[in-house]
Amino acid sequence: MTYLAKPRLHHPSLATNQVGYTRRDYEGKISTLCAGCGHDSISAAIVQACWELDIEPHRVAKLSGIGCSSKTPDYFLGASHGFNSVHGRMPSVLTGANLANRGLLYLGVSGDGDSASIGLGQFAHALRRGVNMVYIVENNGVYGLTKGQFSATADRGSKSKKGAINRDAPVDLVGLALQLGASYVARSFSGDKAQLVPLIKGAIGHAGAAFLDVISPCVTFNNHAGSTKSYDYVREHNDAVSRIDFISQKREITTDYAPGEVVDVAQHDGTVLRLRKLHEGYDPTDRAAAMNHVHLHQARGEVLTGLLYVDAETGDLHEALNTTATPLNALGRAELCPGAAELARLNDALR
Amino acid sequence: MKRIESVNDFVVKFANVNGSGSASANELFAKAILRMGVPVSPRNIFPSNIQGLPTWYEVRVSEEGHLGRRGGVDLMVAMNPQTWDADVAEVEPGGYLFYDSTRPLPPEKFRDDLTVIGMPLTAICNATYEDARQRQLFKNILYVGALSMLLGIDPQVIEALFSEQYRGKERLLESNVRALNAGREFARDHLDPVGLQVRRSDRVGNRIFVDGNSAAALGCVYGGATVAAWYPITPSSSLAEAFQKYCGKLRVEPDTGMHRFAIVQAEDEIAAIGMVVGAGWNGARAFTATSGPGVSLMTEFIGLAYFAEIPVTIIDVQRGGPSTGMPTRTQQADLLCCAYASHGDTKHVLLFPEDPHECFEHAAAALDLADRLQTPVFLMTDLDIGMNQRLCQPFAWDDARDYDRGKVMSAEQLEAGRDFGRYKDVDGDGIPWRTLPGTHPTRGSFFTRGTTRDPYARYSERGADYVYNVQRLLRKFETAAALVPQPVLRPSARGTRLGVIYFGSTAPAMDEALAALAQAGIHLDAMRLRAFPFAGGVAEFIAAHEVVFVVEQNRDAQMRTLLVNELDVSPAQLEPVLHYDGTPITARFITQAITEHVHAEASAPRRRTRQMAREPSA
């Protein structure tokens, strides 16, 4: 995992956002991934989403596991603390970090090898606990760092670069996330920035477990005929349920979609997800219907994208634990230690 | 037959069927003696199942204050037909056998050298109670009542204990007192006096009676732990549950009712340690409690925390291993797997509390040490301390004591332009400075990773950077040796060429063994280790003695290995004394092992003997 430092020089005419940062301030080191890797497009989308949302870069904690995707947090938000943990076990580290300080934005980046195999358990439990996070899987169906083995999200019957046919059923992370109780579930394509950026923005605004499965073709090992995670396949089979516009609480809500096709979902923090429905009758607030829809399209070999499900009324793990509003890492002895007098009472009760 | 006659110095063992409700009655018995001012140390010996299998509760009564297991039983309360033969065999000659005489047993089921005390418990209960559960439960109270009469335990003491237990539940209180008195009356009218007696004393003093898991949990509360992540495993589960209980009482914001703590029962041990790593990275004091198999699962994360330098506290309540070994029995067999947990070159700080008092002290110290050293710190207790109530010094806390948060660079320090290199050894102690996420808009951020990095946390595959890192980690470990609890030295009353090293839950049996050995003319200088890395004086202690016994509760002499591996000492000087059948080591075992060695050496001084495997003591 070599890296190249980016020059910190900014062009003076670069636009700043409302917290005074230019887009360059959201970048990280120069990527060492293969040219054309879908993951770099996702990094760019994260940069754009954070800049547009006026998030201070240092208020983000970016965590990942091991693998190509897990390298990417080095390539965005250079002023943030990053954590490249162990393979597949990013969710638990993120959960602990979130428990320690509820005041930061937690961005978990993972891959299909990371989350659908070794980390499937942690993926599941972080979602069912409702950890307030944005959990992005950069899904290319292949192990890139170890040169081209199938991952657990590879479709049955798809072909590896060496010509092997995958015999195993795929793990559908979106289907799992819906079943496990994630309160924001979306799928996108790294090559569709217009869809991906608002989905990331919506996930950031969401006050609970937000999961994004982003199909992100591996140009080196999984971008050939026979792969169902290649650029060509996804472009041909992408079927979006909606087009999303994310409206922050600072922006005036204006309608630019035709009435009757638009659904506004107001979130806890005052942000609004405006959905232009592309599928007749699709209700993104109906978990069971969403699951059914996803499975139906999967059976047809289609990649259903867009905001598949959202529960704007959800809570998070801190709410379930009734944790104090002050970040736990900011509590000192005065707030934490019951003191000698209380200890004397406890001693008395033990005699 | 000469009957055992003793006042305030005997061992009673209750043999019960798990799930029969005997636990609270047996504990009541022990506590009543304690309330009469006589030191008591009870031990649960229980199976790894829900109910139906044998379970024992052994109560050592010792006016002298010996709190280890002595070995042998003076009075057996034999309530389990399944284990009858073994239970009867365990009683010392001249001892007593109390049993339910409702169904007569053939004469060969008894021993001639025992005094048999029969009481038709089942018959009495069947005649008194209609409900099947009550018949079972009150059988236990009946025998406690009968024993209290035989041994001279003040019934008012027991009634006071009942009152505390059943406060606000008058019906239960009344029915328990009635059963107690029925037992007493039966003993008074039908049973002969016994030679074992309890007399009021004043030897308990100010001490408290508590189990190590509760004590360690309270230590975590006092030490400022705010995040606990755990996965249930015997014998550590009650620690996490006690932390929850104490936090519920002591850590709730008075005005909002919100919690100043977060406890997560994780999906497995890997997730539990992962959460602790994440919380430690982000500046919260965090711990997990587990046992050997849990440590096995956690090792990858422990290696990451060591190399990435993240504060982590792990409480390992050891049990019999390897694998599932003896999950409900005690050992000190996780030393090596914890000291060197994970692959590559790793070394971890271990603390060895001797009793609940030190469980409290060391738990709070572990949280300080983890923050100070930015590394995993293991608190090595075991089932014997963790799950048994032990008489110990009261917990103490100095209100002037502040938490040692270690080297965390603030926004102000960063703003002042102080050079920040996450992995730079600026102070020469091997401990770098860290920053917490979110501290400063432009300074102090870094990337945490398990791969090698340069002093500024930038990814590196340069050999020189790697060597700098691992050498600094060694320097940090040397720094730790001065920060951890130092060993306790107990010099012999007279000069001796013999020494003994011991640690943890072995302490009370060792105290008693030292006294017994001295009485027999074998004098030893004793050193109780309280931490790894070893303090400076340990090597000197070994060098100053011709033979140093290393007493521990595992098969492979793991502490001895650690001493040989880490110190410049001659292995030939270290004589292992090993007890590992899953029961807590006894004073009798230690005394016998050391005596045999000394005698063997006296008769054949050139031939060194190795006591690698001994049969467990009775």
Side-chain angles (χ1 to χ4, degrees):
Chain A
M1 193 159 76
T2 50
Y3 75 91
L4 298 167
K6 264 185 196 171
R8 299 302 303 161
L9 290 171
H10 288 187
H11 194 281
S13 65
L14 278 180
T16 57
N17 60 10
Q18 296 206 19
V19 284
Y21 291 96
T22 70
R23 207 176 161 287
R24 290 291 308 278
D25 294 320
Y26 292 81
E27 293 176 353
K29 299 192 171 73
I30 291 174
S31 170
T32 60
L33 298 173
C34 309
C37 176
H39 296 359
D40 285 333
S41 306
I42 300 171
S43 294
I46 292 169
V47 165
Q48 187 171 334
C50 289
W51 183 74
E52 287 180 8
L53 287 178
D54 304 319
I55 289 165
E56 295 176 283
H58 75 291
R59 302 298 295 170
V60 179
K62 47 187 187 178
L63 298 101
S64 60
I66 296 288
C68 290
S69 60
S70 291
K71 290 166 65 165
T72 63
D74 226 4
Y75 311 143
F76 57 80
L77 298 171
S80 306
H81 277 60
F83 195 146
N84 205 186
S85 62
V86 294
H87 200 205
R89 271 62 63 80
M90 171 274 287
S92 63
V93 181
L94 188 151
T95 302
N98 183 301
L99 290 174
N101 182 0
R102 61 190 301 175
L104 302 181
L105 167 62
Y106 292 92
L107 183 54
V109 178
S110 184
D112 42 301
D114 212 47
S115 278
S117 289
I118 187 168
L120 191 60
Q122 295 220 340
F123 163 81
H125 289 277
L127 292 184
R128 67 175 261 270
R129 283 195 186 97
V131 180
N132 188 4
M133 62 182 171
V134 177
Y135 190 130
I136 297 176
V137 167
E138 302 182 347
N139 187 353
N140 57 19
V142 76
Y143 283 81
L145 276 183
T146 50
K147 302 194 186 300
Q149 299 83 6
F150 287 119
S151 86
T153 64
D155 288 310
R156 179 178 275 162
S158 65
K159 197 185 276 184
S160 80
K161 192 178 180 184
K162 288 180 181 168
I165 304 292
N166 183 37
R167 305 284 172 207
D168 299 332
V171 170
D172 176 26
L173 293 171
V174 156
L176 278 176
L178 285 167
Q179 191 192 342
L180 290 163
S183 43
Y184 182 104
V185 181
R187 182 185 277 142
S188 190
F189 172 43
S190 63
D192 186 356
K193 206 172 176 184
Q195 183 194 48
L196 180 56
V197 172
L199 283 176
I200 293 173
K201 289 164 79 174
I204 290 172
H206 184 72
F211 173 66
L212 268 98
D213 181 35
V214 186
I215 308 299
S216 172
C218 170
V219 286
T220 305
F221 295 107
N222 208 11
N223 197 33
H224 45 266
S227 162
T228 57
K229 297 281 192 291
S230 65
Y231 278 110
D232 287 346
Y233 184 90
V234 181
R235 282 197 185 107
E236 282 161 24
H237 295 82
N238 188 351
D239 186 6
V241 292
S242 56
R243 285 286 169 198
I244 179 175
D245 194 7
F246 180 83
I247 301 156
S248 78
Q249 51 193 331
K250 297 176 194 124
R251 277 170 56 193
E252 186 192 356
I253 298 173
T254 56
T255 304
D256 53 6
Y257 294 127
E261 289 182 320
V262 173
V263 176
D264 279 350
V265 182
Q267 302 210 96
H268 264 323
D269 64 350
T271 57
V272 174
L273 302 172
R274 171 157 297 168
L275 301 164
R276 184 162 64 90
K277 295 208 278 184
L278 300 180
H279 278 217
E280 192 72 27
Y282 187 80
D283 179 1
T285 61
D286 183 338
R287 189 184 291 271
M291 288 169 77
N292 189 37
H293 215 74
V294 167
H295 290 146
L296 207 66
H297 283 258
Q298 196 176 6
R300 293 184 197 148
E302 292 170 352
V303 183
L304 198 64
T305 61
L307 180 60
L308 303 172
Y309 175 72
V310 63
D311 176 3
E313 297 301 313
T314 189
D316 81 329
L317 179 59
H318 279 286
E319 202 174 307
L321 294 173
N322 193 29
T323 324
T324 180
T326 311
L328 293 176
N329 69 354
L331 297 173
R333 186 198 53 169
E335 293 93 6
L336 298 176
C337 185
E342 181 60 42
L343 198 57
R345 279 190 286 276
L346 290 163
N347 279 327
D348 282 344
L350 296 169
R351 291 190 172 105
Chain B
M1 178 196 68
K2 191 174 181 304
R3 298 193 321 169
I4 295 173
E5 306 273 338
S6 182
V7 177
N8 289 354
D9 185 10
F10 53 86
V11 175
V12 181
K13 191 167 182 177
F14 298 86
N16 294 103
V17 177
N18 203 17
S20 62
S22 58
S24 55
N26 297 345
E27 190 182 321
L28 180 78
F29 172 84
K31 270 193 162 174
I33 298 174
L34 190 75
R35 288 278 176 96
M36 288 181 71
V38 183
V40 164
S41 56
R43 283 179 168 81
N44 288 291
I45 303 159
F46 59 100
S48 176
N49 80 330
I50 307 299
Q51 64 177 23
L53 283 179
T55 179
W56 294 270
Y57 188 75
E58 188 178 288
V59 181
R60 172 97 189 261
V61 181
S62 170
E63 172 100 17
E64 289 293 306
H66 297 310
L67 301 178
R69 279 181 75 223
R70 184 198 68 183
V73 175
D74 300 313
L75 165 60
M76 179 67 75
V77 182
M79 299 294 293
N80 187 352
Q82 279 183 315
T83 58
W84 176 272
D85 291 341
D87 294 335
V88 171
E90 205 177 338
V91 185
E92 299 280 285
Y96 303 86
L97 177 67
F98 181 100
Y99 82 112
D100 182 353
S101 61
T102 301
R103 289 178 64 187
L105 290 168
E108 65 270 19
K109 289 299 224 180
F110 299 95
R111 273 168 51 190
D112 293 341
D113 60 348
L114 302 183
T115 300
V116 177
I117 309 158
M119 179 171 172
L121 293 163
T122 304
I124 296 171
C125 280
N126 287 351
T128 315
Y129 305 102
E130 286 190 1
D131 177 71
R133 186 65 184 153
Q134 280 192 335
R135 284 175 174 172
Q136 178 57 50
L137 288 175
F138 284 119
K139 207 189 283 184
N140 305 315
I141 302 299
L142 276 180
Y143 70 64
V144 170
L147 292 175
S148 70
M149 173 59 82
L150 293 172
L151 300 173
I153 299 170
D154 187 344
Q156 286 183 344
V157 169
I158 303 180
E159 285 183 34
L161 285 167
F162 275 144
S163 305
E164 290 168 23
Q165 188 178 349
Y166 300 116
R167 194 166 291 144
K169 298 172 184 167
E170 302 309 324
R171 271 185 57 201
L172 278 172
L173 172 64
E174 191 270 331
S175 54
N176 274 280
V177 170
R178 197 145 36 91
L180 176 80
N181 288 332
R184 289 185 64 82
E185 282 158 21
F186 182 91
R188 183 193 62 204
D189 298 341
H190 302 285
L191 302 179
D192 296 328
V194 297
L196 307 176
Q197 288 294 303
V198 179
R199 281 203 204 123
R200 278 195 180 273
S201 183
D202 57 357
R203 303 298 291 269
V204 170
N206 191 35
R207 284 180 287 180
I208 58 172
F209 192 57
V210 65
D211 63 277
N213 281 354
S214 297
L218 194 58
C220 289
V221 173
Y222 271 75
T226 51
V227 176
W230 65 293
Y231 185 72
I233 181 170
T234 302
S236 72
S237 299
S238 62
L239 199 160
E241 287 161 353
F243 184 70
Q244 177 101 44
K245 183 191 79 178
Y246 284 127
C247 283
K249 285 182 186 166
L250 304 169
R251 283 277 192 76
V252 178
E253 260 178 11
D255 45 344
T256 64
M258 295 178 88
H259 297 165
R260 289 172 174 159
F261 61 92
I263 303 170
V264 177
Q265 184 185 317
E267 59 269 31
D268 54 36
E269 285 90 347
I270 302 173
I273 190 72
M275 289 178 205
V276 172
V277 166
W281 174 74
N282 212 0
R285 297 198 143 188
F287 78 96
T288 186
T290 189
S291 191
V295 173
S296 297
L297 286 169
M298 292 176 182
T299 50
E300 186 185 10
F301 259 128
I302 291 167
L304 174 74
Y306 172 79
F307 199 54
E309 302 184 62
I310 297 166
V312 167
T313 297
I314 300 154
I315 304 177
D316 178 12
V317 189
Q318 298 168 89
R319 65 188 211 183
S323 186
T324 328
M326 288 200 291
T328 60
R329 308 301 160 103
T330 198
Q331 274 188 352
Q332 298 173 314
D334 297 348
L335 300 185
L336 291 174
C337 86
C338 290
Y340 303 124
S342 187
H343 54 268
D345 292 323
T346 51
K347 289 184 202 228
H348 304 295
V349 175
L350 315 178
L351 308 183
F352 309 116
E354 67 164 345
D355 65 2
H357 174 82
E358 278 196 347
C359 285
F360 174 86
E361 296 271 324
H362 288 192
L367 294 160
D368 273 349
L369 283 166
D371 265 354
R372 165 55 51 185
L373 296 164
Q374 297 173 37
T375 199
V377 174
F378 288 82
L379 181 62
M380 307 291 292
T381 77
D382 57 29
L383 183 144
D384 186 26
I385 315 177
M387 290 189 72
N388 290 315
Q389 289 174 298
R390 188 78 62 81
L391 207 53
C392 64
Q393 291 304 314
F395 303 134
W397 189 263
D398 179 357
D399 280 334
R401 172 178 170 173
D402 207 350
Y403 299 147
D404 182 354
R405 303 308 296 257
K407 299 181 185 181
V408 181
M409 207 173 274
S410 64
E412 292 71 29
Q413 287 168 308
L414 290 164
E415 192 61 42
R418 193 164 163 188
D419 179 36
F420 175 71
R422 170 66 182 107
Y423 296 107
K424 273 180 74 175
D425 186 5
V426 289
D427 304 312
D429 57 2
I431 308 170
W433 285 78
R434 64 175 177 146
T435 55
L436 302 182
T439 299
H440 192 279
T442 55
R443 295 173 186 171
S445 71
F446 65 93
F447 213 94
T448 302
R449 48 166 70 86
T451 39
T452 297
R453 76 300 292 205
D454 70 8
Y456 289 88
R458 294 173 298 213
Y459 178 84
S460 169
E461 291 185 15
R462 289 180 64 234
D465 284 334
Y466 177 81
V467 171
Y468 170 81
N469 241 317
V470 294
Q471 284 297 328
R472 185 178 49 72
L473 287 169
L474 266 189
R475 205 150 52 242
K476 178 158 78 165
F477 200 66
E478 286 160 14
T479 300
L483 298 176
V484 296
Q486 299 298 293
V488 178
L489 187 63
R490 288 180 55 186
S492 163
R494 60 177 74 172
T496 174
R497 63 181 187 88
L498 301 177
V500 61
I501 284 177
Y502 63 104
F503 60 96
S505 66
T506 309
M510 195 67 229
D511 293 343
E512 187 177 357
L514 284 171
L517 287 162
Q519 214 162 22
I522 299 172
H523 299 275
L524 298 109
D525 293 326
M527 177 176 264
R528 179 165 70 84
L529 299 177
R530 296 203 297 166
F532 175 72
F534 301 120
V538 178
E540 282 82 349
F541 177 83
I542 295 168
H545 295 88
E546 208 172 297
V547 177
V548 175
F549 298 96
V550 183
V551 182
E552 48 188 318
Q553 302 185 59
N554 58 67
R555 185 194 69 181
D556 289 346
Q558 295 191 24
M559 181 60 86
R560 182 178 177 275
T561 300
L562 212 50
L563 288 164
V564 169
N565 206 34
E566 297 289 331
L567 303 176
D568 188 19
V569 296
S570 161
Q573 276 174 280
L574 300 175
E575 193 64 36
V577 175
L578 307 170
H579 185 279
Y580 48 88
D581 68 356
T583 61
I585 195 167
T586 64
R588 206 177 266 187
F589 178 88
I590 299 168
T591 307
Q592 197 181 332
I594 292 179
T595 304
E596 277 175 16
H597 177 89
V598 170
H599 289 166
E601 234 195 9
S603 58
R606 286 176 189 282
R607 192 179 133 260
R608 298 205 64 83
T609 57
R610 278 274 172 274
Q611 281 174 277
M612 293 305 293
R614 296 181 55 84
E615 286 302 307
S617 63

